[in-house]
Amino acid sequence: MIKHRGRLAALVASVVVVAGGVVSAQVGQASPNAEGLDAQFVATHNGPQQYPNVFIEWDVPITMSDGTVLKANVYHPAGVDGQPIAEPTPTIVNMTPYTKLVTNLADSALAVPGLSDALMPVLRNLDFSPFGFSSLSDMLKALPGGAARTIGVDRNLIRGGYTQVVVDVRGTGFSQGAWQVFGEREQLDGVEVVDWAAKQGWSDGKIGMSGISYSAINQLQTAQRRPAALKAIFPVVPGSDMIRDVAAPGGALGVGFIPTWLLLVDGTKLLPDLVSILSGKFDWTWLNDRVRDPFTFFNVLIAALGTPSIDQIPPELGAVLDDESPLRTAWVASPEQVQVPTFLYGGWHDIFTYSTPRIYNAVNVPAEQKKLVMDNTYHLTVSSGLGQPGAPAPLESLQRAWFDKWLKGIDNGIDRYDPVTLWQQGSEQWTADVSFPRPGMQYRRMYLDAMPSGTAPGARHDGSLITTPVGAQRVSVDPSLLTICSRDAAQGTAGVLPLPDICAKDARISEGAALTFTTAPVAAPTRISGPIAAHLNTVLDTTDGYWTVTVNDVAPDGTSTVWSQGQLTASLRAVDEGKSTRSPNGDYTDPYPYLTLDTRQPIVPGEPTTIDIGIRATDGVLLPGHRLRVDVFAGNLPSSIPLRPLLNESGLRTQHLELDPTRPSWINVPLDTDPGW
């Protein structure tokens, strides 16, 4: 189904809102969004609110059951006199590790009269794509897309009759304790904060949770513990498997994101509460906690980069590679335990792309109580595709509608919103459907063959992707720095690197370091929807190596656009069958590697070894004349690098694919039609 939206005249904050409906491209049936729900949600959020002002309580102490004191800013709706209203309201909790001081600064800037109304249209219309840097435009469009208010404080939400509580996670900001990075005690804090908020006189006992990234993950962790007062959540770019999402994708260290992220949180948590110092009420327990734990997890990072061999791995790094350690078990959420209405927003090129669709399918509520929006975004450009003509409403408006329905009982139609709203790669349009993956997909094997396709002259090897393998040949590839110029580099660094479009939107430069395998062109639109799996017959010259696979859309002019990717350390290839999925023919659709030392299987040099690599779920359509391509790389810089002991074993040596019809390599791809390849 493709969203065709007509203009609806709605004067909202002096901006004409563009909205409309969703129509099925196959059967021509209008979906519920044809009612103009997005325009309605924007009008509700941006229009006149019930209360004129906001009253803030600063650094409210919340004592946890172990005695640790967390600090929260509490934002109340207020009357014309500026004082908080007497009536209890539904309450929204946001738990952040990035210090509520940052949230307050952002809120203060947006609260300047007239600034937001003047700034947002400018940011929405800035376009650097003519200069080859559309990534810069996307960064700026994240603010009018709703990220600015969803990440912390939304004054229109508060003036609309909600109390908002922004809490520094334990060990961060002004809260006491040691930062646990999603640990068991931190997860209990989420439940206790929800319970605390529900019992306050200003709360009516109905609690929602909101927030982006870290603050989305802890929503799920709290909801799976089922506190009675929690009635709805709105997680934006959440993850549910920290190892596979970002910490150690494919068993390698996520160097594109993790070191910078740790510096951000560990740096901001050291900022003292200057107001308490000046007033003589400084929290000395806070200081003692920071002295004891100034740089959380840097010991693990140093061990991952500096330990020379497997037998020298220290306990802190060993815990990351042990799926039964408290750290690993805490890092894998159980979204199937979530039983409250859940609205999920993710991006096809986000660092949590692997988890977000899986969370949607796992959440255990009726269809009208869960929604999924997947945008064409990186982590840093979250929401940049929203609020545009033909797109869903901004995050802040969708969030307001979600809470109005499930916390206030307002029949605003959000429960009739399309179950999944997807940016469809290839057509470059917003679409809607009843499920993800889309109905009607059938998995098909496409074999990697050495026969030249004639479409990738700059690649390390130009091969074909065909239905029947015909030739035998060994093809080889080396680790390379060319992958720095790639969409994978932008994704793995969370979009922080504003790479030019010749890197982020065209893989031909990075394909100079890739083995490419390309189909014939399709004659009719061919949809791909769901996870993809690569089955590779590999040969290494050492005991370890690292493989990365991308799936690309190749246009008639040769432009090669990455839709999705997967990666795996060769020695960590053992698959957990209980958590993997297969298509009816028995091939993997989503292999789930253990990624543990106990299941590690060093490669026998020179011996063919089968490796199954999961490629993150995606959605797109190959238009007539376009081709499907698979790129195979021997590395993934700057996104990931093998753990130092495994890197040392690999020696960054040449890696080989043994293309042999008797032991074929293939991808298992979900298609809605037989493209006639």
Side-chain angles (χ1 to χ4, degrees):
M1 292 187 251
I2 299 179
K3 287 183 179 274
H4 298 287
R5 296 173 185 261
R7 291 185 180 270
L8 299 180
L11 187 60
V12 181
S14 301
V15 177
V16 174
V17 177
V18 179
V22 184
V23 179
S24 166
Q26 281 71 43
V27 297
Q29 294 176 342
S31 77
N33 286 7
E35 300 174 11
L37 291 176
D38 286 306
Q40 171 191 319
F41 300 155
V42 172
T44 298
H45 179 272
N46 291 1
Q49 301 301 321
Q50 184 178 2
Y51 302 101
N53 291 308
V54 173
F55 178 88
I56 307 172
E57 289 185 87
W58 303 103
D59 296 313
V60 176
I62 309 174
T63 303
M64 299 293 97
S65 58
D66 67 347
T68 300
V69 177
L70 309 186
K71 295 293 180 65
N73 290 344
V74 182
Y75 297 78
H76 302 276
V80 292
D81 60 355
Q83 295 303 303
I85 63 171
E87 298 84 3
T89 67
T91 301
I92 310 302
V93 171
N94 178 303
M95 299 190 67
T96 177
Y98 304 116
T99 172
K100 53 186 171 44
L101 176 62
V102 172
T103 299
N104 177 50
L105 292 174
D107 169 61
S108 299
L110 291 173
V112 174
L115 178 61
S116 178
D117 290 345
L119 181 62
M120 294 304 178
V122 173
L123 296 178
R124 185 179 289 114
N125 292 315
L126 281 176
D127 185 8
F128 293 98
S129 58
F131 308 101
F133 277 92
S134 59
S135 57
L136 289 175
S137 309
D138 291 341
M139 288 181 184
L140 297 174
K141 289 176 182 177
L143 296 178
R149 292 187 174 92
T150 312
I151 197 169
V153 178
D154 181 355
R155 291 198 172 222
N156 272 7
L157 179 71
I158 298 163
R159 286 192 287 256
Y162 291 88
T163 299
Q164 193 157 12
V165 179
V166 181
V167 186
D168 286 329
V169 166
R170 133 184 333 246
T172 71
F174 298 161
S175 289
Q176 298 175 359
W179 183 33
Q180 283 207 326
V181 195
F182 302 114
E184 177 72 13
R185 178 59 249 189
E186 183 182 310
Q187 294 185 36
L188 290 175
D189 290 347
V191 175
E192 294 183 13
V193 168
V194 166
D195 290 343
W196 172 85
K199 294 174 182 177
Q200 303 308 301
W202 35 257
S203 174
D204 69 358
K206 295 177 181 177
I207 309 298
M209 294 187 75
S210 72
I212 293 176
S213 189
Y214 198 108
S215 302
I217 296 166
N218 60 35
Q219 290 180 57
L220 293 163
Q221 292 174 332
T222 302
Q224 74 184 36
R225 294 172 181 269
R226 303 178 185 173
L230 185 61
K231 304 302 181 184
I233 59 175
F234 196 92
V236 176
V237 291
S240 63
D241 192 328
M242 298 304 102
I243 288 291
R244 289 161 182 82
D245 282 325
V246 65
L253 177 65
V255 292
F257 176 76
I258 293 297
T260 303
W261 175 67
L262 286 175
L263 278 172
L264 172 65
V265 181
D266 279 326
T268 56
K269 79 179 189 183
L270 299 177
L271 296 173
D273 182 356
L274 296 179
V275 173
S276 69
I277 293 175
L278 295 175
S279 64
K281 299 179 180 179
F282 183 65
D283 186 347
W284 293 101
T285 300
W286 175 93
L287 180 61
N288 291 334
D289 289 338
R290 295 303 185 271
V291 169
R292 284 196 297 267
D293 180 36
F295 299 109
T296 304
F297 255 78
F298 265 88
N299 60 332
V300 178
L301 180 62
I302 292 170
L305 294 172
T307 303
S309 63
I310 290 291
D311 58 1
Q312 293 179 285
I313 288 179
E316 60 268 24
L317 181 57
V320 177
L321 298 170
D322 177 2
D323 59 355
E324 295 183 355
S325 70
L327 182 147
R328 279 282 290 267
T329 55
W331 280 6
V332 178
S334 300
E336 68 278 2
Q337 299 296 323
V338 175
Q339 294 185 345
V340 296
T342 302
F343 195 115
L344 293 147
Y345 170 94
W348 291 128
H349 310 291
D350 186 68
I351 55 176
F352 296 115
T353 302
Y354 172 76
S355 280
T356 305
R358 292 167 63 98
I359 295 167
Y360 170 76
N361 286 320
V363 168
N364 188 21
V365 296
E368 65 271 13
Q369 294 184 22
K370 63 177 181 178
K371 309 295 176 183
L372 172 67
V373 174
M374 290 296 291
D375 204 344
N376 189 41
T377 52
Y378 301 111
H379 201 62
L380 194 65
T381 62
V382 56
S383 80
S384 62
L386 303 183
Q388 303 285 334
L395 282 178
E396 58 204 11
S397 301
L398 293 171
Q399 175 179 263
R400 169 68 179 275
W402 196 246
F403 291 141
D404 277 354
K405 170 64 179 177
W406 302 114
L407 272 63
K408 290 188 173 183
I410 298 173
D411 184 11
N412 55 16
I414 190 69
D415 53 325
R416 302 189 301 276
Y417 206 73
D418 292 297
V420 296
T421 304
L422 310 174
W423 175 266
Q424 186 179 62
Q425 300 176 98
S427 72
E428 307 307 301
Q429 296 184 81
W430 282 101
T431 68
D433 222 315
V434 297
S435 65
F436 181 79
R438 298 180 192 267
M441 296 296 139
Q442 294 185 351
Y443 276 88
R444 292 175 172 85
R445 278 191 189 184
M446 295 298 299
Y447 293 93
L448 281 59
D449 193 87
M451 178 177 62
S453 73
T455 63
R460 178 66 184 268
H461 178 82
D462 170 26
S464 295
L465 198 59
I466 55 181
T467 55
T468 304
V470 295
Q473 182 178 334
R474 176 177 290 188
V475 292
S476 303
V477 65
D478 301 297
S480 171
L481 295 178
L482 286 177
T483 52
I484 293 174
C485 180
S486 68
R487 170 164 271 180
D488 211 29
Q491 180 172 4
T493 57
V496 172
L497 292 178
L499 293 175
D501 292 346
I502 58 171
C503 296
K505 293 189 174 183
D506 191 345
R508 282 180 287 184
I509 292 176
S510 62
E511 285 173 349
L515 308 174
T516 68
F517 303 89
T518 312
T519 67
V522 299
T526 303
R527 294 190 302 172
I528 296 173
S529 185
I532 302 169
H535 179 87
L536 303 181
N537 185 28
T538 69
V539 176
L540 299 181
D541 299 328
T542 60
T543 55
D544 219 335
Y546 195 72
W547 295 97
T548 298
V549 180
T550 68
V551 173
N552 304 10
D553 170 13
V554 182
D557 66 359
T559 301
S560 179
T561 304
V562 173
W563 281 2
S564 190
Q565 65 88 237
Q567 52 201 324
L568 187 64
T569 304
S571 67
L572 300 180
R573 64 193 180 278
V575 172
D576 183 342
E577 292 293 342
K579 296 182 179 179
S580 302
T581 57
R582 294 179 181 265
S583 54
N585 69 354
D587 293 343
Y588 286 118
T589 59
D590 188 9
Y592 190 92
Y594 287 101
L595 303 182
T596 65
L597 284 179
D598 287 345
T599 58
R600 182 173 184 260
Q601 302 170 336
I603 300 294
V604 177
E607 181 176 301
T609 305
T610 297
I611 295 178
D612 291 289
I613 301 176
I615 298 169
R616 294 164 176 161
T618 191
D619 189 87
V621 60
L622 297 173
L623 299 177
H626 287 237
R627 304 166 186 255
L628 184 66
R629 174 176 292 167
V630 171
D631 290 343
V632 181
F633 298 87
N636 193 25
L637 282 173
S639 298
S640 304
I641 187 171
L643 302 176
R644 178 64 182 277
L646 309 185
L647 179 67
N648 287 352
E649 289 195 23
S650 79
L652 295 176
R653 298 280 295 278
T654 302
Q655 300 179 187
H656 317 281
L657 285 184
E658 196 73 28
L659 301 177
D660 182 351
T662 65
R663 295 187 61 180
S665 297
W666 68 75
I667 63 165
N668 194 24
V669 58
L671 304 169
D672 73 333
T673 186
D674 184 352
W677 291 324

